[in-house]
Amino acid sequence: MNLRKLILRRSLEILLIFFVILTILFLLFHLAPGDPVSRMVEPGMTAEDAEMLISQLGLDQPLWLQYLYYIKNFFAGNFGISFHYGQPVINIIGMRLPNTILLFTTSVFLSALAGVFWGKIVAWYKGRPVDTGVTILSLVCHTLFLPWIALLFIWIFAYRVGWFPLNGMITPELWLDPSTGFFAKAADIGHHMLLPLLTLFIIHVGEYLLIMRSSMLETLNEDYILTARAKGLSEKRIRNRHAAPNAYLPVVTNVGLSLAFSINGGALTETVFSWPGIGRELIFAVSNNDYPLAMACFLFISLVVLVANLVVDVVYAYLDPRIRY
Amino acid sequence: MAKLAKQKIKEKIARTYNLQRAAEGWALFYDNPVGKIGMFLLIFFGLMAVASFIPPLVNPMYHPMTGVDPGISNATPPSLTHWLGTDNLGRDLFSQLLTGARIAFLVGISAAFMSIVLGTLIGMVAGYGGRITDGLLMRFADMIMVMPSLLVVLLLASLFGQLNIWIIVVLIAFFRWPGVSRVIRSQTLSLKQRPFIDMARVAGASHLRIIFRHILPNVLPMAFLYMTFRVTSAIIVEAALAFLGFGDPNTVSWGMMLQWVWKTGHMFQAPYWLLPPGICISLITLSFYMIGRAMEEVLDPRLRREEEAAQ
């Protein structure tokens, strides 16, 4: 199977899963106690506006037709009007989604990279004090309670020491000033992003490190490592060229498996740091009973997880030729 | 004669439950520093949970939920009457912390147990059943696996209203079985190839009997191992829900305590209130996780071989 075929097949599978999630959400929405119409139409709306919204979303139709409307509206990007913002939901999603993707991909990428790098080295010192120490430290990092460590970081690094801003993503005054250049703006975002990034990094790096370590130990028992030794290759070359490439695979699989878990952590991080992402928006919408916004946020988060899964599969196929051919 | 019968029964017990292997396993487990630390942490939290019943008996003002110190109207630092200080309503933080241990055990163990039962059953059926059953069940597992459990529970809370602690436990269990069922399935698949299963079938055992009498005992250690990992994730999800304000308002959990300190804006002023619940959540999950890892090394001979090879 070549790479293109693999991507096509996995995309179809993902589309199917997404369809099921869409349907389950529709059913939940209608099964929940209370009136579905009142959940999509804000009480304060004028009668004409409300009528237009109801007919647009098909809420006055029989249930099976409502389902078709619902699917159609999803692909048309029509999710109704947010109660809180009074704007079409899709606009809010459009603003929030890039912020989440920025924070999420950077944190997963950096922690996977660092975890793989350190795990590789630690495996080499198996059984020595360094190994025991790093293993226990990774376990501790992995089990830290994320919102708490986020609050602690804000307290220490932003409040007491004052190195970082308390929350948010940008400094509004800087962005309103027309003379601010692109690099100054990027630096501003980076400055705001460091603390949330550090939080997510610490939570995830231990997990990747431990997986890389045990995967590396497994490959070190293989015969071809013995062959490489017999050829008289240097330890560093054996480690980086012969053992590590095969040890990457379980790490990649695990990144895929823990994506949903990472997005939970991402939403918590966004909330504590007031990072204007889609996870925070979902939590915010749920607290305010802003159902149209909450449902759309949830769908897009599921979509992010599914697409990220696809990317992980492609990376896996790229690293492991056995999958491709 | 009676002695012989007794001997026979003893042998049968030893054979069925593999007592000798269990003792060896325990020795291996206890040899591992990770397992030992985890065990001591767990005992410590267990004592905390038991001790949580004492403070309200000493004085009703120590009741974690309703007890209010009449002389205090704001958050106060630790003192002799309140060992860890009080929250902004004058409730005792030490007593809340002890109660939190009880809730963490309750949520963690019951949710983990449910998800293990579900995951093991589904995994065995998928592994033992034909290709269609297997495919359907595993696709279903995949689908649940890509759902962020915390956010799903949040969404359900918004649609169905306030969730009580038992509904939260059931929901956590429901979203946490797929990982278990994958492992159990692959174990079942390899067990299915072993001769003793064929022999049981030839002897006329029904599918149900084969699954429960011949496969289940063999996958049980693995299921038990995964239970320790599930305990950690259940505690974390419950704490996160409570932290976001969607916990059961009638229980005092560590996540709830963190929510109070965060929402009342005391996080910069009251480190004595911010630090203990977070440390407790982190350490209790760490203890279960460490026990799980130590057990993994006992159960998986491959990991042990590496240990020996390295020395």
Side-chain angles (χ1 to χ4, degrees):
Chain A
M1 199 188 323
N2 62 28
L3 205 55
R4 192 179 301 162
K5 238 187 201 159
L6 179 96
I7 294 175
L8 199 72
R9 211 194 66 190
R10 289 295 291 153
S11 308
L12 282 177
E13 267 178 41
I14 280 171
L15 208 66
L16 191 73
I17 291 179
F18 188 67
F19 225 70
V20 176
I21 293 178
L22 262 177
T23 310
I24 291 175
L25 205 60
F26 178 81
L27 291 176
L28 278 178
F29 190 71
H30 285 270
L31 274 176
D35 175 26
V37 175
S38 69
R39 246 180 259 131
M40 290 307 279
V41 180
E42 206 195 347
M45 241 179 213
T46 63
E48 293 148 45
D49 281 354
E51 207 136 290
M52 209 179 88
L53 195 66
I54 287 174
S55 73
Q56 206 177 28
L57 297 174
L59 292 174
D60 48 355
Q61 307 288 344
L63 204 59
W64 65 273
L65 210 61
Q66 276 192 41
Y67 178 66
L68 295 183
Y69 265 96
Y70 167 79
I71 300 287
K72 192 200 100 191
N73 276 323
F74 175 78
F75 287 103
N78 186 357
F79 301 99
I81 313 275
S82 158
F83 292 2
H84 178 76
Y85 295 94
Q87 282 183 40
V89 168
I90 190 75
N91 295 357
I92 296 156
I93 302 277
M95 278 190 294
R96 302 290 185 249
L97 194 57
N99 301 340
T100 291
I101 292 175
L102 175 70
L103 184 65
F104 182 65
T105 46
T106 322
S107 69
V108 169
F109 187 72
L110 283 182
S111 41
L113 217 62
V116 162
F117 182 75
W118 290 332
K120 193 164 75 178
I121 292 172
V122 167
W124 218 251
Y125 296 101
K126 166 88 195 171
R128 307 237 194 111
V130 185
D131 175 52
T132 317
V134 172
T135 305
I136 290 181
L137 188 70
S138 312
L139 280 172
V140 171
C141 283
H142 181 53
T143 52
L144 282 173
F145 185 53
L146 199 149
W148 177 69
I149 204 76
L151 287 176
L152 211 59
F153 280 168
I154 296 179
W155 180 51
I156 297 171
F157 294 113
Y159 183 75
R160 298 300 285 269
V161 189
W163 287 344
F164 299 101
L166 282 175
N167 54 28
M169 184 177 167
I170 53 170
T171 320
E173 299 89 56
L174 191 82
W175 284 62
L176 287 173
D177 185 0
S179 64
T180 312
F182 173 75
F183 288 107
K185 282 180 177 173
D188 186 40
I189 291 182
H191 190 208
H192 281 81
M193 197 164 99
L194 267 174
L195 222 42
L197 206 58
L198 184 67
T199 309
L200 286 170
F201 181 81
I202 286 187
I203 296 291
H204 290 136
V205 74
E207 187 191 359
Y208 297 139
L209 193 153
L210 291 172
I211 297 162
M212 181 65 186
R213 175 181 166 275
S214 53
S215 157
M216 191 76 176
L217 288 176
E218 221 160 277
T219 40
L220 286 181
N221 278 339
E222 300 279 346
D223 289 340
Y224 60 81
I225 300 295
L226 199 66
T227 313
R229 283 240 164 80
K231 282 200 302 191
L233 296 179
S234 74
E235 290 288 288
K236 205 176 157 195
R237 197 176 164 82
I238 296 174
R239 186 179 73 202
N240 293 341
R241 287 301 189 81
H242 292 254
N246 276 316
Y248 291 147
L249 298 173
V251 182
V252 176
T253 312
N254 205 272
V255 170
L257 289 180
S258 64
L259 272 175
F261 177 74
S262 315
I263 215 104
N264 279 341
L268 285 167
T269 314
E270 285 176 4
T271 310
V272 177
F273 286 96
S274 302
W275 182 265
I278 199 164
R280 172 171 171 260
E281 207 59 61
L282 171 64
I283 291 166
F284 185 71
V286 166
S287 320
N288 286 318
N289 292 332
D290 191 346
Y291 297 107
L293 187 60
M295 304 235 315
C297 284
F298 183 77
L299 284 175
F300 275 91
I301 289 174
S302 316
L303 204 60
V304 168
V305 177
L306 288 173
V307 171
N309 256 309
L310 178 70
V311 173
V312 167
D313 281 342
V314 172
V315 170
Y316 193 97
Y318 176 78
L319 286 175
D320 188 355
R322 281 172 302 187
I323 303 284
R324 268 178 292 160
Y325 299 107
Chain B
M1 200 61 195
K3 210 175 169 188
L4 202 71
K6 233 182 194 171
Q7 182 75 22
K8 252 186 182 163
I9 290 168
K10 245 186 192 166
E11 261 173 30
K12 194 172 180 205
I13 290 172
R15 220 174 26 242
T16 325
Y17 297 100
N18 242 325
L19 284 183
Q20 202 190 341
R21 232 176 80 191
E24 277 169 18
W26 170 250
L28 269 170
F29 177 86
Y30 201 73
D31 244 11
N32 190 336
V34 170
K36 216 185 281 178
I37 298 173
M39 212 55 214
F40 281 122
L41 279 174
L42 193 67
I43 291 170
F44 174 73
F45 283 112
L47 290 177
M48 266 180 82
V50 173
S52 73
F53 294 101
I54 299 170
L57 296 177
V58 174
N59 189 335
M61 86 175 178
Y62 288 134
H63 191 279
M65 202 68 197
T66 55
V68 176
D69 189 332
I72 291 173
S73 58
N74 206 344
T76 48
S79 62
L80 270 179
T81 37
H82 300 286
W83 293 352
L84 286 175
T86 66
D87 67 4
N88 59 332
L89 301 173
R91 295 182 295 185
D92 187 62
L93 288 177
F94 181 64
S95 163
Q96 288 187 353
L97 202 70
L98 293 181
T99 312
R102 203 169 74 211
I103 300 296
F105 274 112
L106 187 103
V107 169
I109 292 178
S110 49
F113 182 73
M114 280 187 238
S115 66
I116 288 304
V117 170
L118 203 61
T120 308
L121 282 179
I122 293 177
M124 285 192 305
V125 171
Y128 185 78
R131 269 188 72 187
I132 298 171
T133 333
D134 185 25
L136 277 177
L137 285 174
M138 284 301 112
R139 284 294 90 76
F140 184 50
D142 283 349
M143 208 186 68
I144 290 184
M145 223 153 167
V146 297
M147 292 203 193
S149 49
L150 175 67
L151 302 180
V152 180
V153 178
L154 269 180
L155 199 70
L156 290 174
S158 87
L159 284 173
F160 291 86
Q162 192 72 56
L163 304 174
N164 79 30
I165 195 85
W166 289 108
I167 298 183
I168 292 174
V169 165
V170 170
L171 285 174
I172 292 173
F174 180 75
F175 284 102
R176 283 299 180 192
W177 62 264
V180 188
S181 69
R182 269 169 175 253
V183 176
I184 300 296
R185 169 183 169 267
S186 64
Q187 274 211 321
T188 309
L189 278 177
S190 80
L191 281 170
K192 217 169 103 182
Q193 307 299 327
R194 305 262 193 89
F196 72 92
I197 299 290
D198 286 334
M199 260 134 94
R201 200 174 295 140
V202 170
S206 68
H207 291 316
L208 269 182
R209 192 184 160 82
I210 291 178
I211 286 182
F212 284 101
R213 287 303 295 269
H214 298 281
I215 291 179
L216 184 65
N218 284 300
V219 297
L220 222 46
M222 205 47 131
F224 194 63
L225 163 68
Y226 268 76
M227 186 166 151
T228 60
F229 292 131
R230 286 300 166 265
V231 173
T232 69
S233 64
I235 290 175
I236 288 176
V237 171
E238 192 277 333
L241 267 176
F243 174 75
L244 293 172
F246 293 91
D248 186 334
N250 300 316
T251 56
V252 181
S253 70
W254 291 326
M256 214 60 135
M257 289 176 75
L258 281 176
Q259 198 232 348
W260 288 328
V261 67
W262 184 45
K263 277 286 152 73
T264 55
H266 281 79
M267 51 177 278
F268 297 146
Q269 284 85 40
Y272 53 88
W273 187 359
L274 172 66
L275 294 177
I279 293 174
C280 282
I281 300 174
S282 303
L283 285 184
I284 201 171
T285 47
L286 180 68
S287 83
F288 276 107
Y289 205 84
M290 281 180 149
I291 290 171
R293 274 187 73 93
M295 267 170 62
E296 206 172 13
E297 256 169 60
V298 173
L299 292 179
D300 190 347
R302 262 185 338 185
L303 292 173
R304 230 179 306 154
R305 206 183 53 219
E306 280 153 20
E307 200 102 16
E308 281 153 15
Q311 275 154 13

